[in-house]
């Protein structure tokens, strides 16, 4: 299993290159080939998950080879209890995005090529332990997202794609500056060995006047991707105009890159700065939770409502991270996986509704549960998970995050921020239930009498996501047993 991480990362990329240069293939062969690759990646990631040693806190399945000797940079891969669940999540959503893309009828080869490149880049971010390698994978994902939205999107698709690119590149420029400064201060680009307690001096040991600017350089780049208010304005436009397959990866995996980067780099390499400025980030987290919830209530477009709901729920991730407690960070890591599953299911079912009715406006819908009982059931179950119904992963994640944030002793004001954040739970219940009522229940509209329900393939992957959401909700130790020790190693540096 020495090189399994390399295979997981680069198999989709190699497949994309092969599809680009092989003789012209039938559309069905392209779809089956891309799906088979995604299935193989998922199988390998599950193999890693099954063989992961839950008693260890450090990196496992490491690969480290010389890469750029002049910079002392290595090709360094590895996963721990925080990154491994995100690798599995990305592989699962990658497979689902391939399956849902079987409906694509224009420029099929190009679509699946870009989708494979996107999956490869996200996996590379979660597995990289070298800052330069991490940055390269971080930048690669911008290219496929731009083309996937600008060509196969809807509405103002080119403007939305460009807006995403500009926001991401602005954040990336600051991140690159942070990487350069980190190398100048520490002489190393190796992410893991820079962490306190791993045999080398951490950047946290540098005088505060030097470390604080670098901390905020990294934080700005990750905050754009999360997204954190006020760097969020790209999200609703991008999510509403992107094709559903891209929505799945954008909300389910790409947003997690920002949260993961904060944990892996900002918290791990800058524990002193993280603790010092935690109240500012907790303030932004609470603003995002409530602001996103209020805006979700005001939306008339179904996908935009889910976009603002996603922003609100990612605020809980930020809350759990910067509460800096062991339980809160376990909850935040669990919330990343739960949110990825639930939001993906919401976007899939919303996409089915919009495709079948040809009406994205919520006001134009009503009574669809009669014509679309399976779709309605999946949307309701996803909505109940989003509002935190017990027995769903949403409840396990939010409860753990809120409990851990309220009990954190690392940040003195964490209890007050957590109390205010509870308003977000109430808001999510209101907009989710109200949306379900307006779209699927109430007076049935005669114009939808011949609307078809979800097909067999759609029911398969929706049902799969529902099962996973409830399995994690009923038995969260499946993930928390993996996450726990890695989080313990991080918060122990701050007395958490």
């Amino acid at each position: 299993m020495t090189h399994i991480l390399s295979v997981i990362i680069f198999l989709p990329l190699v497949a994309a290159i092969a599809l680009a240069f092989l003789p012209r293939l039938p559309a069905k062969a392209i779809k089956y080939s891309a799906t088979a690759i995604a299935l193989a990646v998922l199988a390998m990631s599950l193999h890693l998950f099954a063989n992961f040693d839950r008693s260890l806190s450090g990196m496992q399945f490491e690969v480290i080879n010389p890469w750029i000797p002049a910079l002392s940079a290595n090709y360094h891969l590895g996963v721990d209890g925080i990154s491994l669940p995100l690798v599995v999540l990305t592989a699962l959503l990658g497979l689902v995005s391939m399956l849902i893309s079987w409906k694509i009828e224009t420029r099929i080869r190009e679509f699946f090529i870009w989708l494979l490149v996107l999956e490869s880049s996200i996996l590379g971010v979660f597995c990289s332990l070298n800052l330069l390698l991490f940055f390269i994978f971080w930048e690669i994902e911008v290219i496929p997202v731009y083309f996937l939205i600008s060509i196969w999107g809807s509405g103002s698709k080119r403007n939305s794609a460009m807006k995403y690119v500009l926001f991401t590149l602005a954040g990336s420029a600051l991140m690159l500056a942070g990487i350069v400064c980190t190398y100048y201060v520490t002489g190393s680009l190796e992410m893991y060995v820079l962490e306190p307690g791993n045999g080398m001096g951490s950047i946290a040991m540098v005088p505060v006047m030097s470390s604080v600017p670098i901390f905020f350089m990294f934080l700005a780049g990750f905050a754009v991707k999360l997204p954190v208010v006020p760097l969020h304005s790209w999200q609703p436009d991008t999510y509403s105009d992107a094709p559903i397959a891209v929505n799945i990866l954008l909300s389910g995996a790409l947003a997690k890159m920002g949260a993961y980067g904060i944990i892996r780099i900002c918290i791990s390499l800058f524990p002193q700065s993280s603790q010092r400025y935690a109240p500012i980030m907790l303030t932004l987290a609470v603003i995002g939770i409530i602001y996103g919830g209020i805006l979700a209530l005001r939306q008339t477009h179904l996908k935009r409502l889910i976009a603002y709901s996603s922003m609100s729920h990612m605020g809980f991730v930020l809350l759990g991270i910067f509460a800096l407690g062991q339980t809160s960070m376990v909850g935040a890591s669990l919330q990343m996986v739960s949110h990825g599953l639930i939001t993906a299911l919401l976007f899939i079912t919303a996409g089915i509704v919009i495709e079948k009715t040809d009406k994205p406006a919520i006001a134009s819908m009503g009574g669809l549960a009669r014509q679309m009982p399976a779709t309605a059931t999946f949307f309701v179950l996803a909505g109940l998970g989003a509002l935190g119904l017990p027995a769903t992963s949403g409840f396990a994640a939010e409860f753990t995050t809120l409990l851990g944030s309220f009990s954190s002793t690392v940040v003195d004001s964490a209890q007050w921020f957590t109390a205010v954040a509870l308003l977000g739970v109430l808001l999510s219940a209101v907009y989710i239930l109200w949306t379900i009522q307006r779209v699927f229940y109430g007076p049935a509209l005669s114009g939808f009498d011949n609307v078809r329900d979800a097909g067999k393939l759609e029911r398969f992957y929706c049902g799969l996501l529902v099962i996973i959401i409830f399995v994690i909700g009923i038995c969260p130790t499946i993930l928390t047993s993996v996450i726990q020790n890695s989080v313990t190693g991080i918060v122990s540096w701050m007395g958490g």
Side-chain angles (χ1 to χ4, degrees):
M1 299 207 322
T2 305
H3 299 289
I4 191 169
L5 284 179
S6 296
V7 176
I8 287 174
I9 294 170
F10 290 105
L11 182 59
L13 184 59
V14 171
I17 295 171
L19 286 177
F21 290 99
L22 284 176
R24 188 167 297 278
L25 298 173
K28 184 175 289 188
I30 293 172
K31 294 176 182 179
Y32 277 113
S33 299
T35 304
I37 293 297
L39 182 60
V41 171
L42 176 59
M44 287 185 286
S45 66
L46 289 173
H47 179 68
L48 288 184
F49 191 83
N51 288 276
F52 186 81
D53 190 340
R54 289 155 173 76
S55 65
L56 302 178
S57 61
M59 293 292 166
Q60 299 183 40
F61 313 111
E62 275 191 270
V63 177
I64 181 166
N65 294 304
W67 180 30
I68 307 177
L71 298 176
S72 300
N74 296 314
Y75 173 77
H76 193 180
L77 304 176
V79 290
D80 64 354
I82 297 171
S83 56
L84 180 57
L86 297 176
V87 170
V88 177
L89 174 68
T90 302
L92 173 63
L93 297 183
L95 175 61
V96 173
S97 67
M98 297 296 171
L99 292 173
I100 204 170
S101 299
W102 283 15
K103 300 176 183 178
I104 296 295
E105 297 178 353
T106 59
R107 303 171 71 171
I108 295 170
R109 178 192 296 266
E110 295 173 50
F111 185 90
F112 281 93
I113 287 172
W114 288 125
L115 206 57
L116 287 166
V117 173
L118 178 57
E119 181 180 5
S120 182
S121 63
I122 299 170
L123 290 167
V125 167
F126 292 138
C127 296
S128 296
L129 295 179
N130 176 278
L131 288 172
L132 184 58
L133 189 63
F134 177 92
F135 180 77
I136 290 172
F137 282 118
W138 184 279
E139 287 295 277
I140 288 175
E141 62 82 16
V142 178
I143 302 170
V145 169
Y146 173 78
F147 285 110
L148 286 166
I149 296 175
S150 62
I151 297 175
W152 293 275
S154 59
S156 303
K157 54 186 181 182
R158 292 184 180 177
N159 290 337
S160 297
M162 184 56 67
K163 195 171 186 179
Y164 173 80
V165 169
L166 292 176
F167 269 83
T168 299
L169 292 183
S172 298
L174 291 171
M175 190 193 310
L176 180 59
I179 292 172
V180 172
C181 292
T182 301
Y183 178 75
Y184 176 77
V185 172
T186 66
S188 175
L189 291 170
E190 298 305 302
M191 198 183 300
Y192 183 53
V193 296
L194 282 173
E195 294 176 356
N198 280 290
M200 286 186 66
S202 166
I203 197 167
M205 306 306 172
V206 177
V208 173
M209 288 301 292
S210 299
S211 65
V212 169
I214 307 174
F215 167 77
F216 278 107
M217 289 176 193
F218 281 112
L219 186 60
F222 300 138
V224 169
K225 194 77 75 180
L226 192 69
V228 177
V229 177
L231 303 175
H232 69 287
S233 61
W234 64 268
Q235 188 200 42
D237 294 334
T238 303
Y239 280 23
S240 61
D241 294 338
I244 297 299
V246 181
N247 283 137
I248 293 170
L249 290 173
L250 275 175
S251 62
L254 262 78
K256 312 308 175 290
M257 286 165 50
Y260 172 75
I262 291 174
I263 295 174
R264 176 65 65 222
I265 296 178
C266 293
I267 304 294
S268 298
L269 303 189
F270 305 87
Q272 294 174 350
S273 296
S274 298
Q275 191 167 356
R276 180 178 181 181
Y277 296 101
I280 295 175
M281 298 311 300
L282 290 175
T283 301
L284 293 176
V286 172
I287 290 173
I289 291 170
I290 298 175
Y291 180 66
I294 292 172
L295 288 181
L297 276 170
R298 295 175 54 87
Q299 297 311 302
T300 58
H301 189 294
L302 187 55
K303 288 177 69 176
R304 288 182 75 89
L305 184 147
I306 299 173
Y308 281 113
S309 168
S310 176
M311 185 179 78
S312 178
H313 283 89
M314 285 303 291
F316 287 104
V317 174
L318 193 64
L319 176 74
I321 292 173
F322 276 98
L324 301 178
Q326 180 173 321
T327 304
S328 72
M329 205 169 291
V330 169
S333 299
L334 184 60
Q335 173 74 347
M336 283 193 273
V337 177
S338 172
H339 175 268
L341 296 168
I342 291 171
T343 307
L345 185 55
L346 284 171
F347 271 118
I348 291 170
T349 49
I352 294 171
V353 170
I354 293 171
E355 178 193 357
K356 305 295 186 183
T357 64
D358 197 29
K359 294 185 182 297
I362 297 173
S364 301
M365 304 173 186
L368 287 174
R370 184 181 65 178
Q371 293 85 8
M372 310 176 72
T375 305
T377 300
F378 290 132
F379 190 93
V380 169
L381 291 174
L384 293 177
L387 62 83
L389 183 75
T392 66
S393 61
F395 172 79
E398 284 191 9
F399 180 80
T400 306
T401 302
L402 291 169
L403 178 64
S405 299
F406 191 82
S407 60
S408 173
T409 58
V410 182
V411 183
D412 294 335
S413 53
Q415 292 79 9
W416 294 104
F417 289 108
T418 306
V420 178
L422 288 171
L423 291 173
V425 178
L426 176 61
L427 285 170
S428 66
V430 173
Y431 64 71
I432 288 293
L433 295 176
W434 192 30
T435 301
I436 292 172
Q437 170 63 29
R438 288 182 291 170
V439 174
F440 294 104
Y441 299 99
L445 302 181
S446 59
F448 297 143
D449 289 339
N450 297 320
V451 169
R452 292 178 298 166
D453 200 359
K456 291 182 180 179
L457 182 60
E458 293 165 329
R459 297 185 191 200
F460 166 73
Y461 49 71
C462 287
L464 177 63
L465 291 175
V466 167
I467 291 170
I468 297 172
I469 288 168
F470 277 92
V471 167
I472 294 175
I474 294 170
C475 188
T477 54
I478 293 174
L479 291 180
T480 56
S481 62
V482 174
I483 297 167
Q484 184 73 43
N485 283 335
S486 295
V487 167
T488 300
I490 293 174
V491 300
S492 63
W493 307 329
M494 289 171 282

